[in-house]
Structures are given as structure tokens and as C-alpha cells.
Amino acid sequence: MMKSDNDVVITGVGIVTCQGVGKEPHVALLSAAEVGAPKVETERFAPYPVHPMPEIDWSAQIPKRGDQRQMENWQRLGVFSAGLALDDAGLKADAEACASMDMIVAAGGGERDIKVDSLIVDEALKRNDRELLLNEKLTTELRPTLFLAQLSNLVAGNISIVHKVTGSSRTFMGEEAAGITAVETAFHRIKAGQSTHSLVGGAFVAERADIILLVEGIRAHATGEWHPLWSRSEDNGGGMMMGSVGAFLVLESRSHAEARGAHIYAVIEAIEGDRGNRDEGKLEKRLSRLAAHAGDLSKADTVVFSGASGVHDITKREKSLLASQLDGAPIRGYGGITGHGMEAQFPLGLALAALTLDSGATVPTFDSENEKPMTAPAKHAVVTTVGYTRGEGLAVLSAA
């Protein structure tokens, strides 16, 4: 690929998963000879397993106790991961750069009132007029200020307060599609010369009974023991296994990054998101169009990081299409070892891809029975995320 001043490059990576805090444990994972079973919590929410947050010293990125106390875990995780990315990019102490930095965040809603949710579910088992029941309970049980105290854009607000990132700010909601759109928006703003540097990413906490209830409402959550992503089936209790994830990136134009002597992890060559009905082959049609962005890559030196959710039908359809469209390039289903990070899933895939390309890692298989080994370090990476109910995205990265 020819270099250009408005190339969009990754210069900072902030990442937290069940595998650990920061770049180091994730580079070690990506460079390991083999990957063992990941950390999974099977007792607290039995029969639903989740990938938990690692031990985190919040004070390392959120020094004021008062700031920590007024946030929930999903906000703390986002603010913490954003701080890691700023530190990694060498911009944390640069007040001028932070003041002019754009910020685009993918976030879900705040934690729900579990007692009210449980009351509605219990009462619904006894009545058939459930629409009436729902209205009754929402008007009598729900505190009017509950959601106002937990707005999604509080993550961006707290990043501004704690890390002094005070340029333009956008927040997207909408599960996986929010993470795709956040990165896509940052990419195109930099590419068009409307922005020089941007902080982008998301955070998701899986250890929440309300989230598990939401997913299990469509019978999509895994039960029982952990199984590798592509090996999950209805027979072994497979499905989506969520993970607590924080993933933020600092994106810059090449000219801005090189002018300040920044380390460049990777170049984002292309990115696109889409959504729509998936019936009658429409998912395959959209994914084929997205995969065309990788059409000129040599598959011999390309690795695919698939953000597949683990939901049986959609995951099977995605893997089949990737295998055919990308001509046998090795695929790594990263959600199998980190858990599925909803809004943070796509930024997480980009972070893993950037670390892989930068470190020259030969990524071990995450599912030894269904993934083929890499024979040499990759020079290119394709990152996908196919939402568990809607939203698809794909990005193409090259080594710096």
C-alpha cells in the first residue's frame, strides 16, 4: 500500500479483558505457542458462564476516589481503558493535544433495576395480559430518575473530566453496531481531513444479571461449561458467552502521528459497517460486499480476527462465508477467549489485530479443531464483527 499523509493509523491501544490489563498480557496471548482455556466465571450466574473482569487498580487511571465512586463498573472500565490508550499513545500529559482531540464512544445503557425486572418476570408467569402487567409495573415500580442517572454519554463525560479530552464528543448506542459505527466515523473524519486525532472505543461489563436476562430472552446465551467458539452447538449448551471488555484506540492521520514521532501500530486501510434483514441470504450478500475490501490482499500473509458472537446460526454462516471469500486465510474467533464484548467487540478486534501486526506475532489457534495454524507472521489483518441480532462490520489493517 502507498503511504499517504491522511492514512489513518493506530498509535494507542488501551485494552482490558479477562486475559489481563493492558497490552502486555494480550501480546503474550497472541504470541504464545498455544492458548489454554480462558478465564470463565461459572458459579455467580449459573447456569450462564461469563468471562469476568480481571483484577484492576482503578487508581492507576482514575486517581480521584470521588470520581471512581460516582461511576458504575461499565463507566470505570471505559474511562480506565481510554486512559491506557492515551498513555500508550504518549498523549496523556499533552494538554493541548487532549483539548483538541475528538472522542467517539460506543456505550450501552446503565445498569437496570434488577428487583423490578425480577418482579415483572415472576408476575408474567402468573398472567396472560403481559402488556398490561408491564405498564402497571413500569408506572408503579420504576424510579423516574433511574435512567437519567445512567445515561450512555456519561462514559464520554467522565473521560473528559478525568483525562481532559475536550474536543468534539459523540456517543453511539446499539450493541455491536455502535462499536462499528464509532470506529467508522473516526476513520472517515480523519480520512477527510476533518480530524487529526481521535480517541475511539467502548466498554462492556458482562457480569450483570440484567444483560444475561436480555440475551437469554431470545435463548442466545451459552449454558454450562466453556467451549471454543466454533465448537459450540445446541448439543453442548453453546451460544453467546459474554465478556467484560474495555477497548479504546487512538487514531491519527499519518502526518499528525509522524510529526510528533508517534509509534504506529498499524494502518487502517478500509472500514465499513452495515445492517439489515438477514433472511434469504441477505447477510451473506452484505458480508460478501464488505469482504471485497480485502480483495487485493495476499491471503498467505493475512490473518482474520472474527468477532463472531457464538450464536449458532449466525456464527456458522459468518465462518462459512469468510472461509470462501478470503481464500482460506487463517481465522481467529477472538470472542472465544475474551468473551463477547457487545459495544466493545469491534474495537477489541482492531486492538488485537494492531498488536499482532506490530509485534510480528504468529497467532496460535483459539479453537484447535476448527482453525488452521499460521505459518508466518501476518502483514495484513481483516477484522469482522457480526452482531448477535443485527449489525455487521469489517476493517482491513496493514502493518506499519
Side-chain angles (χ1 to χ4, degrees), residues 261-339:
H263 174 73
I264 296 175
Y265 285 92
V267 182
I268 302 179
E269 304 286 0
I271 183 171
E272 185 180 354
D274 202 352
R275 70 197 76 181
N277 192 302
R278 292 172 169 176
D279 296 338
E280 300 174 352
K282 293 177 182 176
L283 172 64
E284 285 76 8
K285 186 175 181 179
R286 282 198 301 278
L287 286 179
S288 294
R289 194 190 75 251
L290 296 178
H293 289 294
D296 295 333
L297 298 183
S298 166
K299 305 310 182 291
D301 58 12
T302 299
V303 61
V304 180
F305 283 93
S306 166
S309 64
V311 175
H312 310 303
D313 177 58
I314 298 301
T315 295
K316 183 177 179 181
R317 290 166 68 183
E318 177 188 352
K319 189 169 190 292
S320 175
L321 185 131
L322 290 177
S324 63
Q325 292 288 313
L326 300 177
D327 196 27
I331 298 173
R332 298 293 180 265
Y334 60 90
I337 58 166
T338 62

Side-chain angles (χ1 to χ4, degrees), residues 102-116:
D102 296 315
M103 174 168 48
I104 307 179
V105 177
E111 295 183 21
R112 295 169 60 91
D113 190 322
I114 299 300
K115 291 182 179 179
V116 174

Side-chain angles (χ1 to χ4, degrees), residues 15 26 29-31 229-230 302-308 318 322 326 329-335 337-338 345-359 361-366 371 374 378-386 393-397:
I15 181 172
H26 295 92
L29 169 76
L30 295 166
S31 306
L229 183 75
W230 310 114
T302 299
V303 61
V304 180
F305 283 93
S306 166
E318 177 188 352
L322 290 177
L326 300 177
I331 298 173
R332 298 293 180 265
Y334 60 90
I337 58 166
T338 62
Q345 187 73 352
F346 193 62
L348 171 61
L350 291 171
L352 294 173
L355 293 176
T356 296
L357 295 174
D358 181 65
S359 62
T362 302
V363 184
T365 58
F366 298 158
E371 295 179 350
M374 293 175 61
K379 297 179 181 178
H380 307 282
V382 175
V383 178
T384 70
T385 288
V386 175
L394 181 144
V396 178
L397 288 75

Side-chain angles (χ1 to χ4, degrees), residues 206-254:
E207 298 148 90
R208 288 170 47 179
D210 57 321
I211 291 291
I212 293 173
L213 175 65
L214 174 71
V215 175
E216 186 58 0
I218 61 169
R219 305 296 295 274
H221 206 294
T223 58
E225 299 299 318
W226 174 82
H227 296 278
L229 183 75
W230 310 114
S231 300
R232 296 175 191 172
S233 69
E234 294 183 20
D235 294 336
N236 62 23
M240 188 161 76
M241 197 175 297
M242 294 178 295
S244 293
V245 172
F248 272 81
L249 303 167
V250 173
L251 305 185
E252 299 185 56
S253 67
R254 183 185 289 276

Side-chain angles (χ1 to χ4, degrees), residues 152-230:
S152 297
N153 60 11
L154 284 181
V155 176
N158 279 310
I159 292 172
S160 295
I161 292 168
V162 173
H163 301 309
K164 307 299 186 290
V165 177
T166 54
S168 70
S169 175
R170 293 168 177 79
T171 295
F172 290 100
M173 292 182 70
E175 298 174 332
E176 298 95 342
I180 296 165
T181 303
V183 182
E184 185 181 14
T185 301
F187 172 86
H188 285 297
R189 281 179 54 79
I190 293 172
K191 201 75 174 171
Q194 298 172 345
S195 174
T196 55
H197 56 303
S198 182
L199 177 68
V200 59
F204 175 75
V205 172
E207 298 148 90
R208 288 170 47 179
D210 57 321
I211 291 291
I212 293 173
L213 175 65
L214 174 71
V215 175
E216 186 58 0
I218 61 169
R219 305 296 295 274
H221 206 294
T223 58
E225 299 299 318
W226 174 82
H227 296 278
L229 183 75
W230 310 114

